[in-house]
Amino acid sequence: MNTADPGLPEEEGREAPPRKGGGGRRVGVPSTALFTDHYELTMLQAALKGGTAQRRSVFEVFTRRLPEGRRYGVVAGTGRVLDAVENFRFDADLLGFLRERRIVDEETLQWLAGYRFSGDVWGYPEGEVYFPGSPILRVEGSFAECVLLETVILSILNHDSAIAAAASRMASAAGDRPLVEMGARRTHELAAVAAARAAYVGGFTSTSDLAAGFRYGIPTVGTSAHAFTLLHDRERDAFRAQVDSMGRGTTLLVDTYDVAEAVRTAVQVAGPGLGAVRIDSGDLLLVAHRVRQQLDELGARHTKIIVTSDLDEYAIASLAAAPVDAYGVGTQLVTGSGHPTCSMVYKLVARAESADPAAPLVPVAKRSSGGKTSAGGRKWAARRLDGDGVAEAEVVGTGAVPGELAGNQLLVELVKGGEPLDTAREPLDTARDRHTAARAGLPLSATQLSRGEPVLPTEYVHGHSGSH
């Protein structure tokens, strides 16, 4: 039995060598500089001409609301953000493209040629939970260098956090039963790799996507599809070929034809030591009970049952009383179970009065009507706990942190002087464990699947933003 995936048969959980979860394999990573919107560069050009580009600025990532009915959000993609910032470079080909399209003028192109982010980044550590108004990421530096990062940062955090939140709800519903991510064929090929990573942070145990296994060291699993059974003249022949190749501990797919007959054949071929059977269609609750009874009657009492077939957190919860040992989830996971984005924004919240490095910061915020207002000022965040150590509020403020909250601050330093910190390059398992602990520290109602308001209120403490 593979210790990385204790709920699956032996060949189902072969684990790639562990790698750092933040960056994984970074060799040959292409530039991320054009993962941006056109207007980021035109703003830069205008700021350079207007003399405001070098004003010290503070941008923050937050969401005004959680997806409808969700009780908490999950921060995921932080490690990928560090990679994106590190690889945000304009080489000759990219500059040539911008010149050919006349997107910006020559002065701006010369500035971009030497672009290197030299500022600081603070943020919630990956795997932490968040709520409306939580300053999930804070980016500080000149306006010019910070504004260019908006689109790529939001692209990563909005996608990965949506997947991780769905994964977390599914993991809560699954309890101790392992979850396999298998949505690669239901989304863009690069999004599939990011989704597998985010799902692992949210509580999944493995993935079917080999690129995710290679890049991030996530355990990969898989045996056969219906096509393998259909290839053979008889179902028995397909089972025999698979057992001969992979051993008796393999997982046999038993719903290509008649499930009861397939289970009987599977045990005849592999013996009572058959690792698992997989069911991919039908009334999973009913079929799982029938298959468990049949396996027990055939002496295969330790053969596990794995179910797949358009599962989401609600379907998983409905199978809690079923004799199921593991779940495989695809479409609903990689689409965020109905919420494929978190609606995070990247807003300027403070800027210096001038380009003088010593100039004080001035809080700024959008004030127009329509529900898109935001709070100005460079913010801190802390989680207030009750007497039992359970979270009772997300507290966000400017200025000095109240003494009673000083030990519960949420933001950690990720990038200093343009360089990602070694402490920020953490193994993916660290983020995964952090999420498990963070979710356990919330009120019990956080894990309810019924629609409701955020499980913690967000309280604002207004003070002088200062220039620190």
Side-chain angles (χ1 to χ4, degrees):
M1 186 69 68
N2 189 297
T3 57
D5 200 354
L8 297 176
E10 183 174 354
E11 100 294 348
E12 289 286 292
R14 289 188 178 148
E15 184 175 3
R19 301 189 182 96
K20 291 286 188 180
R25 286 179 175 257
R26 299 197 301 278
V27 178
V29 174
S31 169
T32 55
L34 292 190
F35 292 157
T36 191
D37 288 308
H38 187 122
Y39 80 167
E40 311 289 10
L41 299 188
T42 53
M43 279 194 288
L44 169 65
Q45 176 177 301
L48 288 171
K49 287 187 177 299
T52 54
Q54 296 308 314
R55 285 191 176 188
R56 190 159 56 100
S57 300
V58 179
F59 286 83
E60 289 177 352
V61 175
F62 62 93
T63 184
R64 296 183 177 93
R65 64 191 64 85
L66 297 180
E68 184 180 357
R70 294 288 173 89
R71 303 296 182 91
Y72 61 92
V74 181
V75 178
T78 309
R80 298 208 307 120
V81 167
L82 297 181
D83 289 347
V85 171
E86 194 173 35
N87 291 291
F88 205 95
R89 306 282 187 270
F90 291 87
D91 60 23
D93 287 342
L94 302 190
L95 293 169
F97 165 78
L98 298 176
R99 182 178 289 111
E100 178 186 348
R101 296 291 182 93
R102 298 183 180 180
I103 291 172
V104 289
D105 61 20
E106 198 63 34
E107 178 186 356
T108 306
L109 289 173
Q110 291 300 316
W111 190 92
L112 291 173
Y115 178 85
R116 299 290 186 274
F117 179 71
S118 62
D120 302 329
V121 179
W122 290 70
Y124 280 37
E126 190 155 22
E128 184 58 82
V129 296
Y130 71 87
F131 300 89
S134 297
I136 296 163
L137 199 74
R138 190 174 72 220
V139 182
E140 305 183 30
S142 70
F143 176 84
E145 61 182 343
C146 293
V147 74
L148 293 182
L149 300 175
E150 174 181 7
T151 303
V152 69
I153 286 176
L154 288 179
S155 175
I156 292 170
L157 292 180
N158 267 314
H159 174 269
D160 290 22
S161 297
I163 304 304
S168 178
R169 285 163 60 86
M170 294 173 186
S172 291
D176 294 332
R177 298 171 179 176
L179 290 155
V180 181
E181 185 282 315
M182 47 195 304
R185 63 189 63 190
R186 296 291 187 259
T187 189
H188 185 279
E189 67 273 16
L190 299 182
V193 180
R197 182 186 183 282
Y200 191 72
V201 170
F204 275 56
T205 56
S206 54
T207 178
S208 66
D209 191 285
L210 289 177
F214 174 75
R215 182 168 297 183
Y216 298 118
I218 302 170
T220 58
V221 303
T223 49
S224 67
H226 293 101
F228 184 75
T229 301
L230 295 170
L231 170 68
H232 293 80
D233 296 332
R234 299 183 305 165
E235 191 170 46
R236 179 181 296 273
D237 297 336
F239 289 173
R240 172 55 63 192
Q242 185 173 324
V243 170
D244 287 347
S245 172
M246 302 179 187
R248 298 179 186 275
T250 193
T251 299
L252 296 177
L253 182 59
V254 295
D255 71 330
T256 305
Y257 304 116
D258 179 84
V259 173
E261 181 61 29
V263 171
R264 185 178 302 108
T265 302
V267 176
Q268 288 174 353
V269 170
L274 173 63
V277 296
R278 179 162 74 95
I279 307 167
D280 188 50
S281 59
D283 182 337
L284 297 179
L285 179 62
L286 176 62
V287 175
H289 276 288
R290 288 178 174 174
V291 168
R292 180 74 271 158
Q293 180 179 355
Q294 185 179 10
L295 286 170
D296 291 347
E297 291 173 350
L298 293 170
R301 297 183 179 278
H302 299 292
T303 298
K304 298 181 183 298
I305 297 175
I306 301 170
V307 295
T308 53
S309 184
D310 293 327
L311 297 176
D312 62 10
E313 60 266 48
Y314 301 102
I316 292 169
S318 73
L319 293 168
V324 171
D325 298 286
Y327 306 94
V329 188
T331 302
Q332 291 301 317
L333 176 69
V334 298
T335 57
S337 194
H339 297 289
T341 181
C342 301
S343 299
M344 293 178 185
V345 293
Y346 182 97
K347 296 297 181 182
L348 181 66
V349 297
R351 50 86 176 166
E353 294 178 338
S354 70
D356 183 343
L361 289 175
V362 177
V364 294
K366 182 178 178 181
R367 294 300 184 207
S368 64
S369 60
K372 288 191 174 182
T373 59
S374 55
R378 181 182 187 270
K379 300 176 195 67
W380 51 262
R383 192 157 295 150
R384 191 173 67 239
L385 310 179
D386 65 16
D388 295 321
V390 178
E392 63 178 12
E394 190 90 337
V395 186
V396 176
T398 57
V401 181
E404 66 273 16
L405 295 175
N408 296 328
Q409 294 191 69
L410 292 164
L411 281 86
V412 298
E413 193 169 22
L414 301 171
V415 176
K416 186 176 181 62
E419 295 295 327
L421 299 178
D422 289 342
T423 52
R425 295 285 193 193
E426 58 186 16
L428 200 56
D429 279 329
T430 300
R432 189 170 184 269
D433 292 343
R434 178 182 294 117
H435 175 63
T436 300
R439 189 176 62 202
L442 297 176
L444 286 176
S445 57
T447 58
Q448 292 176 351
L449 296 182
S450 57
R451 292 180 178 274
E453 296 300 313
V455 71
L456 296 186
T458 303
E459 300 177 358
Y460 291 93
V461 178
H462 298 288
H464 179 60
S465 64
S467 59
H468 55 285

